[in-house]
Amino acid sequence: MKLSLFSLFSLFASVAVAAPAVPGWRFDLKAERSGIVALEAIVVSPTLVVFFDRASDDPLQINNHSAWGALWNLETSTVRPLDVLTNSFCASGALLSNGTMASVGGDPRGFPGNPDIEPGLQGLRIFEPCASPTGDGCTLFEDPQTLHLLESRWYPSSIRIFDGSLLIVGGTHVNENFYNLHPANSFEFFPRKEDTPRPSAFLERSLPANLFPRIFALPDGKVFMVAGNQSIIYDIEANTERILPDLPNNVHVTNPIDGSAILLPLSPPDFVPEVLVCGGTQTDPIDPLLLSSQTPATTQCSRITLTEEGIAKGWEVEHMLEPRTMPELVHIPNGQVLIANGARSGFAAIKQVQDPIGNSNSDHAVLVPSLYTPDAPLGLRISNAGMPSSGIARVYHSSITLTPQGNFLVAGSNPNANTTVGPGIKFPSEFRVQTLDPPFMFVERPKILNTPEKLAFNKSFTVPISIPLTLARPGAKVQVSLMDLGFSSHAFHSSARLVFMDATISQNRKSLTFTTPPNGRVFPPGPATIFLTIDDVTSEGAWVMMGSGNSPPTLE
Ligand SMILES: *[C@@H]1O[C@H](CO)[C@@H](O)[C@H](O)[C@H]1NC(C)=O
Ligand SMILES: *[C@@H]1O[C@H](CO)[C@@H](O)[C@H](O)[C@H]1NC(C)=O
Ligand SMILES: *[C@@H]1O[C@H](CO)[C@@H](O)[C@H](O)[C@H]1NC(C)=O
Ligand SMILES: *[C@@H]1O[C@H](CO)[C@@H](O)[C@H](O)[C@H]1NC(C)=O
Ligand SMILES: *[C@@H]1O[C@H](CO)[C@@H](O)[C@H](O)[C@H]1NC(C)=O
């Protein structure tokens, strides 16, 4: 009997080994390189991503000079240059309510040997909606003399707000060495709402490490902001700020002491906003020569619920599996959050701390992403079980974005002043492009077969779908997410948003009925991607226009 029990076990063991491998997460290296350092990335159509670099000596050429803008084709994994006039280095951007991408701010400088560069500080770069899947005929529009920001801004943040326009926050007036010593402590809008920028006491207080403030449009139309270790809710309509508790334990999270932050998924009926802030460093912003590439980053994540009760309770602390400076937090359509990129020690920016690695202020790149599950119990939310290693350091000036296909595009990294340093350097200018493919990319997926081009707010829509037999299970978990894929720059995904919609699948599993968010405060009007997830298997995204598609400002 004992023997047969043993053989039963070994039978199970061999069955387990022989069974087809459960598909896991995979990094996939693309043959084509990005051509420019993709330090900013934004999905602008179902097939196209705009990359921006600084005006530099990138290998990709246009009009006989190095390009610093490019279009990445998600279908073919190929790149083509974009002609940019102003220096887009360390800019921000977003999609507007009419589908146009606006890139804002940038670097005051030109670059030796690259002649055609205008200063980017007040830059406003317009990429109109592009219907060509390959980007044929789609170009950037710039007219720096007449179309520019009110104030000079290097390292600003920007988000689409409830009326479909951009709120632009902070930045610096000059090419700073490390901290923000010439701050643009103000807010402005694109299109303009007034002729002068709005002064911000919050930005004043959060100096000197307050570049790229982490900001979110809340479902009541107000804006949450975190910079340094301070946070507020800003009321755009009343132009007032409400001070929230500081992040605990002296953790600072904005450039050059970069952590990251994300607005967790919003769910009907109440769309209660919760913010998660992860990484950064437990240090005061002191003399950079007292900081080191080996200064440990923090493992801390801090989470707050933005209701009266939640604010009274304050920040709840939990910990990542490893310390991370410059992590990026990205929504996954099933409501989890991907924590990717960054390093275990050091800081953002280039060669200012006492012992840079080559030119890098950071060291010990983190290669394995983690998953954060918002509704798991505290202490059990973060895991990297089964997550692969990227094999490629993605430190300062890297980017990552969810794509309409449902996987992640990972590119960039360059803690150097140009692209010609090396070879043999530990953190080179990185042109290799990867996707990070979730397990559902390797199985039969549900499909959204068709959607209206435009979706009105607070309405119910029924669309045709197909569901593979493998997922046709009674009681399967169905999730429909309406997402803004965000603008990735400097370890922050501005405007990124996931709003779950109430949804049901018909008896015959051939149609899906969902209800759009009540108004543009819950999901600012503009381009959106809808994903259908059944038991954690996610469809490709359907690219739609949430709202009227009118130019901003618009309330529908
Ligand atoms: C690029 O340079 C070549 C050779 O110098 C010249 O013939 C060509 O006209 C230039 N093209 C542009 C767009 O300036
Ligand atoms: C926030 O940062 C300031 C300046 O670095 C520091 O003095 C303060 O103690 C920090 N607050 C908390 C709650 O850690
Ligand atoms: C590129 O950077 C290196 C080191 O930072 C510097 O020596 C070199 O002059 C730079 N090249 C250009 C063209 O700026
Ligand atoms: C949404 O529509 C329902 C009726 O379907 C209505 O009762 C409700 O007031 C609407 N909400 C908004 C925010 O317009
Ligand atoms: C969208 O609005 C912006 C801001 O007013 C404008 O610059 C752009 O041309 C508009 N695009 C379209 C397609 O209407």
Side-chain angles (χ1 to χ4, degrees):
M1 288 308 282
K2 271 176 194 161
L3 250 180
S4 69
L5 193 62
F6 176 77
S7 38
L8 201 62
F9 265 113
S10 52
L11 179 67
F12 274 128
S14 60
V15 165
V17 169
V22 178
W25 289 76
R26 290 184 208 166
F27 277 100
D28 182 28
L29 181 63
K30 304 299 166 191
E32 180 112 334
R33 307 272 168 123
S34 54
I36 65 169
V37 174
L39 64 88
E40 298 156 34
I42 179 170
V43 178
V44 291
S45 83
T47 54
L48 297 171
V49 179
V50 169
F51 287 154
F52 287 114
D53 188 10
R54 79 177 81 197
S56 182
D57 47 6
D58 291 286
L60 191 67
Q61 299 286 305
I62 188 161
N63 298 335
N64 289 343
H65 64 74
S66 283
W68 59 96
L71 272 178
W72 180 265
N73 184 325
L74 292 164
E75 281 182 325
T76 58
S77 295
T78 53
V79 76
R80 63 196 285 174
L82 264 183
D83 206 8
V84 191
L85 262 183
T86 61
N87 194 345
S88 52
F89 189 36
C90 307
S92 181
L95 296 165
L96 304 171
S97 57
N98 59 10
T100 294
M101 193 275 298
S103 151
V104 298
D107 187 316
R109 295 163 296 178
F111 191 83
N114 194 344
D116 299 327
I117 301 161
E118 299 212 32
L121 279 173
Q122 289 178 282
L124 250 172
R125 308 168 195 90
I126 300 292
F127 188 80
E128 300 288 13
C130 178
S132 158
T134 53
D136 288 334
C138 298
T139 55
L140 269 186
F141 172 75
E142 286 178 275
D143 182 5
Q145 303 321 317
T146 60
L147 188 67
H148 56 80
L149 296 180
L150 283 168
E151 188 151 2
S152 295
R153 296 180 192 275
W154 202 38
Y155 285 76
S157 286
S158 61
I159 49 166
R160 186 168 79 243
I161 59 168
F162 60 86
D163 67 3
S165 49
L166 287 195
L167 168 68
I168 304 156
V169 173
T172 176
H173 286 143
V174 301
N175 157 37
E176 296 283 17
N177 185 41
F178 191 66
Y179 289 127
N180 189 0
L181 304 181
H182 305 84
N185 285 334
S186 69
F187 308 145
E188 64 176 282
F189 299 90
F190 177 68
R192 286 181 191 177
K193 293 192 190 299
E194 51 241 344
D195 294 332
T196 49
R198 298 184 182 187
S200 164
F202 163 69
L203 290 174
E204 189 77 42
R205 285 196 307 275
S206 56
L207 290 171
N210 73 356
L211 294 170
F212 281 113
R214 281 59 169 112
I215 59 179
F216 306 106
L218 298 177
D220 62 0
K222 294 179 182 148
V223 176
F224 170 87
M225 304 190 183
V226 56
N229 63 350
Q230 302 181 34
S231 64
I232 61 161
I233 292 175
Y234 176 64
D235 184 331
I236 295 173
E237 288 152 300
N239 191 20
T240 52
E241 62 170 47
R242 170 179 183 179
I243 297 178
L244 301 180
D246 283 359
L247 293 174
N249 305 319
N250 204 27
V251 168
H252 291 247
V253 297
T254 42
N255 189 281
I257 311 180
D258 280 18
S260 197
I262 190 166
L263 179 67
L264 293 175
L266 298 169
S267 298
D270 297 325
F271 305 101
V272 176
E274 289 187 82
V275 168
L276 179 73
V277 180
C278 290
T281 310
Q282 224 173 356
T283 179
D284 286 340
I286 50 174
D287 181 350
L289 290 174
L290 298 173
L291 301 173
S292 151
S293 62
Q294 306 305 309
T295 306
T298 182
T299 56
Q300 180 169 303
C301 290
S302 316
R303 176 166 162 177
I304 195 167
T305 304
L306 297 174
T307 55
E308 288 307 327
E309 200 189 350
I311 292 167
K313 219 172 122 196
W315 296 93
E316 177 183 70
V317 169
E318 53 199 313
H319 292 276
M320 294 183 288
L321 304 176
E322 63 287 292
R324 286 191 197 237
T325 177
M326 304 176 286
E328 197 152 352
L329 304 177
V330 200
H331 290 292
I332 304 176
N334 71 356
Q336 289 180 300
V337 172
L338 182 77
I339 306 174
N341 297 355
R344 286 171 181 263
S345 68
F347 297 88
I350 297 166
K351 211 172 186 174
Q352 293 95 354
V353 300
Q354 57 177 271
D355 56 350
I357 306 299
N359 297 309
S360 173
N361 284 345
S362 71
D363 196 9
H364 311 290
V366 189
L367 303 181
V368 180
S370 288
L371 292 175
Y372 181 90
T373 307
D375 52 10
L378 181 66
L380 298 175
R381 293 177 186 149
I382 303 178
S383 163
N384 64 6
M387 294 301 273
S389 169
S390 67
I392 299 178
R394 303 286 183 184
V395 292
Y396 195 46
H397 291 149
S398 45
S399 61
I400 177 169
T401 182
L402 179 66
T403 74
Q405 289 68 38
N407 59 357
F408 298 87
L409 186 72
V410 191
S413 190
N414 189 21
N416 303 293
N418 56 55
T419 72
T420 50
V421 290
I425 188 172
K426 188 169 179 187
F427 299 111
S429 305
E430 189 55 71
F431 297 101
R432 284 175 291 177
V433 178
Q434 293 167 301
T435 53
L436 172 58
D437 300 329
F440 59 70
M441 299 292 286
F442 309 104
V443 299
E444 254 198 291
R445 302 163 69 182
K447 287 195 177 88
I448 300 175
L449 299 173
N450 197 8
T451 51
E453 257 176 57
K454 290 180 187 172
L455 301 178
F457 288 101
N458 200 31
K459 289 271 176 333
S460 160
F461 292 88
T462 298
V463 300
I465 57 169
S466 75
I467 297 181
L469 276 177
T470 43
L471 296 173
R473 171 177 83 81
K477 183 176 182 189
V478 175
Q479 296 170 296
V480 179
S481 43
L482 182 73
M483 299 186 69
D484 186 314
L485 307 180
F487 184 105
S488 172
S489 177
H490 290 76
F492 181 54
H493 230 76
S494 53
S495 297
R497 201 172 196 80
L498 191 168
V499 176
F500 283 120
M501 300 194 285
D502 277 330
T504 50
I505 288 176
S506 63
Q507 283 286 339
N508 65 6
R509 300 196 174 93
K510 288 191 186 322
S511 65
L512 170 73
T513 301
F514 58 82
T515 306
T516 55
N519 54 50
R521 292 176 189 253
V522 176
F523 192 97
T529 309
I530 297 177
F531 294 94
L532 166 62
T533 302
I534 302 178
D535 283 344
D536 288 329
V537 178
T538 298
S539 69
E540 289 207 4
W543 186 266
V544 297
M545 176 60 78
M546 191 61 239
S548 60
N550 291 345
S551 290
T554 177
L555 293 180
E556 47 182 11

